Amino acid sequence: MKNIIEKINNLKNNLNKWGHAYYVLDSPIVDDAEYDKTLKELIELENQYPELITDDSPSQKVGGIVMDKFEKYKHKLPMLSLANAFNKEDLLNFNDQIKKEIENSDYNFFVEPKIDGLSISLIYNNGKFFKGVTRGDGIYGEDVTSNVKTIKSIPLSIEDQNDYVEIRGEVFLSKTEFEKINKQRQTNDEEIFANPRNAAAGTLRQLDSSIAASRKLDAFLYYFMDREKFHTHSESLSYLEKMNFKINDLGKICKSIEEVYEHILYIQSQRENLEYEIDGVVIKINDFDLYEKVGYTAKSPKWAIAFKFPAEVKTTKLKNIFPTVGRTGRITYNALLQPVQIAGTTVQAATLHNADFIIQRDIRIGGEVKIKKAGDIIPEVIAPIIDENYYKLNKWIEDTNCPICNSLLERVEGEVDQYCINSQCPRKIVRGLEHFVSRDAMNIEGLSIKIIEKLFENKFIENVGDIYKLNKYKNELIQLDKMGEKSVTNLLESIEKSKSNSLEKLFFGLGIRHVGKKTAKVLAVNFKEIDVISNINFNELEEINDIGPIVAKSVCDWFEIKQNADLIKTLKNEGLNTKYLGNEGSKNNDKITMKSFVITGTLSKPRNYFKEMLEEYGAKVIDTVSKKTDFLLAGQEAGSKLEKAQKLGIQILSESEFLEMIGE
C-alpha cells in the first residue's frame, strides 16, 4: 500500500505542476497526450483505492456531480459593486474625492483590466478548497463549488494554512472557447450565447458539473480579502501568484492619476489582441491602510472605480428589417446584418427598437449602417451611413400586421410601440410561458424556450395552467425528440417544487403589464393573498407606496378579464400557493414591522446590510422620501433626503437610535 500511496502522490504532484504551467503560466511542460495519459492512470488507481481520493486531487476537476439546486450562501463581507468613470474628467473627480478624505497622505494606484465575466468568491479552509460562491446580489450568492472545482486554473490546495482564506476574482471564457461552444450549440440546434459573459454565467450555473468541465472556464483572481496580512494590493497579488493563482499580467502600479489614464489607454489599445473579453479598467488605491479612511458609499467603495470603455462602433450592410413579437404583444424591429466582428463576437443581427426609431433616422434596407453593442452586450443600429447612392434605396415602411398571426397591429395612445392585441397569438403565448418559468418568476428549470415551443406545437401546453398538468403526460413527453426520461423527471420535479413559491414570484410570472419584479413584491407584501389583490379597487391600489395610477389601472384591468380570473382558479386547483411567504414574520417589532424606511448618508456598514436587517423585521425599504415614508435612517452627509424628511415631519433616526429601537 505504501508504494501505491507514493505512486498516487507522484502522479498528483506531476499533474498539478503541469496544469499550473499550462493553465496559469501558459507555458506547457508536457504535451496533451502525456498529461491525459497520467490523469487516466491516476483515476484508474483512485478507482481501485477510493479511500485514497483526496478533495485536492486533479481527478476532482473532471466533473460529474449532478446537483438538484444551488444553495444560497451569505458572504462574510458584501461583494460591493464599483462606481463608474467614463472619461478623464470622471477620473480627476475620483482623485479629488480621495484627496478630501486623506489630505496629507501620499498614495499610489493599482490599475488592472476589468474582466468581462462573472464575479466569484473562493474560500479555503486549512489550505484546502472549501467553497466557490457567485456574487449574487452582493449579500447572498449561490454555492457553485462543484463547478468551480472543474476550473483548471484554480488550485484545490494552497500553501496558506489559515482556517479561513477568501479570495475574489472573475470567472470567464476565452474568446476561442466561446466560439467553439456556440458552434457546437448551433450544430445541436440550441440557442447560441450572446457573449462570453453570458456563456460563463450559464456554465457556472449548470447543475451537472461535467458540462462545466467540458466548457473550460478560466479565472483571474484579483482580491485577497485578508488586508491585515499585507500593506498593499500589489503585495497581495504577488502572494496570490506565489500560491499558483492566475493573476492578470496587465496590472500596474501608477504614481499619479495622469499615469493611471496613460495605462488605461494602453490597456484599451491591447483590447482586441487579448484572448479574453474586457469592458474597462479597475483603478484602486494600492495602500490597504487607506481604505477605511477613504471609506464607502452605500453601494461601492470610494477607494476604487471602474473606468468603462466606450462602446465599439462598426459599419456593415443592412440586409433586411424584420419584426418580432414579445410576450405583451409589443413589436420589436430587428436588423439582419452582413456579419461583422464587434467587441470580440460575430454580429449578424441587431435591434432597431420600434418603427419610429427607424423612420426618424431614415434607415433603409440595403444601405450601410453604424452598429454598436449597448453596454457591450446587445447589438444596436445607431444610424445609417448617408452617401450619394443612399436616397436611391426604397424608404422603409412599418408593418401593419403581426408577423405571426397576421392580426392588425395597434398603437397605445401616447406610446411609440406597436402591439399585437390578439390574445391567442402563438408567439405571445410562447413568450408569456417563457417569462412565467423564468428564474425571477416561477424558476422552473428545464423549460427552455426550445422545449416550450416544442410542447406548444404538440399541444401539451397552451397557457401557464397547462404547465401544472404535464405530469399526466410523462410517458408521452419522454417520447418527444431530445426529451428523455431523466430530463422529463427533473422537469416535472421542478414544476412540482414551484407550486410552493411565494406569491410575488407567481404575480411577477403572470406577466401583467407594468408589473415588474419589485412591484410584484410590493403588492404581495401589502396584500398577502392573490384573492385580496384581485378584489382591491383602483384607489386602494394607488395609495400604496411605489404603486402609481398606471400600475394600479393595469392590475385592475387584468383581473377584470374572465380568462385571467379562470387562470387563477386553475392554478389554485393545481395546488399552487397564492399567499405571500416572505420573511417579515422572521422577526417582529411593532415599531418597525410594515413601516416604510428610506436609508441615506454614510453608515458604519453598507446600505444593503441595514436594508436586509429591516426586511427581516418586515419593514419596506424605499428609495425616495414622501409623505408615505415612516422613518429616515440617516448617516453622515445625508443631504437632500434629510432636508426633505425634515420638511415633511418624518421621524429621523441615527444609526445608534435605530439599533436601540431593534434592541441591538
Side-chain angles (χ1 to χ4, degrees), residues 152-217:
K152 300 261 192 327
S153 55
I154 292 178
L156 296 179
S157 61
I158 58 174
E159 288 178 16
D160 194 322
Q161 298 294 306
N162 282 317
D163 58 0
Y164 184 90
V165 174
E166 184 176 354
I167 300 151
R168 291 177 178 176
E170 200 84 2
V171 171
F172 66 95
L173 269 172
S174 69
K175 293 175 183 176
T176 303
E177 191 61 26
F178 171 69
E179 294 289 349
K180 199 184 295 181
I181 290 167
N182 265 351
K183 279 178 187 171
Q184 186 62 50
R185 290 176 75 83
Q186 277 181 315
T187 303
N188 296 340
D189 195 28
E190 295 173 308
E191 194 171 351
I192 64 169
F193 289 116
N195 52 55
R197 182 186 356 176
N198 283 12
T203 300
L204 207 55
R205 295 195 74 256
Q206 285 289 332
L207 292 171
D208 184 347
S209 65
S210 63
I211 297 174
S214 71
R215 290 187 184 167
K216 299 180 182 174
L217 289 167

Side-chain angles (χ1 to χ4, degrees), residues 461-496:
I461 53 175
E462 292 182 353
N463 59 55
V464 297
D466 293 337
I467 291 171
Y468 294 94
K469 299 171 184 175
L470 286 173
N471 56 352
K472 300 172 186 175
Y473 306 106
K474 182 173 181 178
N475 293 331
E476 291 91 327
L477 294 176
I478 290 169
Q479 302 308 313
L480 279 180
D481 179 40
K482 291 186 181 175
M483 288 289 279
E485 186 169 358
K486 184 180 176 183
S487 60
V488 170
T489 300
N490 290 340
L491 170 60
L492 294 177
E493 286 175 359
S494 186
I495 291 170
E496 188 63 29

Side-chain angles (χ1 to χ4, degrees), residues 125-137:
N125 289 161
N126 304 313
K128 304 295 182 191
F129 177 65
F130 170 62
K131 206 171 283 292
V133 186
T134 63
R135 181 183 182 278
D137 63 4

